[in-house]
């Protein structure tokens, strides 16, 4: 699983996920839009993949666990977002398309520590209900 790259062609766009050391690399390709759209089944597949990779990282005896002391995401209107270095990852429910919308501001590729990934999974689960 160390070097495996997962490519998901979703409702609109493409999401690439890869384990990068103790982080999960997330890269979005919007195609013709300014965001990616995930159907509910897309979201659950991505959640399962993120959970499985996170579990492998967590169970690695060499993994240096970072304490989760405060909520990392911020909430603005119907958007949830995380600021990582000089970039943002934004997730929200798109009522028009009945899908989860995900986009970046800043870097096209982000390496996410597990605490960020866990919050993203939780928000995606909440929006997929």
């Amino acid at each position: 699983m160390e070097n495996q790259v997962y490519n998901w062609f979703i409702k609109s766009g493409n999401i690439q996920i890869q384990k990068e050391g103790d982080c999960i690399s997330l890269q979005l390709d919007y195609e013709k839009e300014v965001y990616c759209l995930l159907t509910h089944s897309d979201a659950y597949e991505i959640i399962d993949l993120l959970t499985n990779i996170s579990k492998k990282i967590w169970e690695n005896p060499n993994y240096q666990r970072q304490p989760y002391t405060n909520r990392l995401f911020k909430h603005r209107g119907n958007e949830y977002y995380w600021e990582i270095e000089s970039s943002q990852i934004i997730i929200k429910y798109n009522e028009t398309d009945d899908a989860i919308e995900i986009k970046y501001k800043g870097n096209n590729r982000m390496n996410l520590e597990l605490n960020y990934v866990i919050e993203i999974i939780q928000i995606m689960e909440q929006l997929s209900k």
Side-chain angles (χ1 to χ4, degrees):
M1 178 178 278
E2 185 70 34
N3 295 319
Q4 194 163 0
V5 177
Y6 298 90
N7 248 336
W8 248 265
F9 294 94
I10 51 181
K11 181 173 183 170
S12 177
N14 179 22
I15 296 180
Q16 186 179 86
I17 299 170
Q18 181 177 12
K19 182 179 174 297
E20 291 280 337
D22 288 342
C23 294
I24 295 177
S25 172
L26 188 66
Q27 186 171 0
L28 304 177
D29 179 5
Y30 304 132
E31 293 177 349
K32 299 174 187 166
E33 301 291 336
V34 294
Y35 49 78
C36 289
L37 287 177
L38 289 80
T39 64
H40 296 286
S41 62
D42 290 335
Y44 286 119
E45 289 176 4
I46 297 292
I47 288 167
D48 285 345
L49 179 59
L50 291 174
T51 301
N52 288 335
I53 296 172
S54 296
K55 184 178 176 187
K56 295 280 186 197
I57 293 170
W58 183 260
E59 291 176 347
N60 180 346
N62 297 324
Y63 173 62
Q64 300 262 330
R65 295 182 175 150
Q66 302 296 319
Y68 182 79
T69 56
N70 290 313
R71 181 174 79 177
L72 301 169
F73 72 89
K74 296 178 182 168
H75 190 251
R76 172 181 54 223
N78 66 343
E79 292 182 340
Y80 297 89
Y81 65 98
W82 294 261
E83 294 177 339
I84 303 167
E85 296 175 4
S86 61
S87 300
Q88 282 185 352
I89 184 168
I90 303 162
I91 298 177
K92 72 177 195 173
Y93 186 73
N94 183 318
E95 291 182 21
T96 305
D97 292 308
D98 186 30
I100 294 175
E101 182 180 308
I102 183 169
K103 63 184 173 181
Y104 284 142
K105 286 185 180 178
N107 295 333
N108 186 33
R109 180 183 207 131
M110 296 184 118
N111 286 331
L112 304 170
E113 295 177 357
L114 285 191
N115 288 333
Y116 288 93
V117 175
I118 299 307
E119 284 190 350
I120 290 169
I121 290 169
Q122 291 170 342
I123 297 297
M124 287 177 63
E125 285 177 334
Q126 177 183 336
L127 296 176
S128 294
K129 292 182 180 183

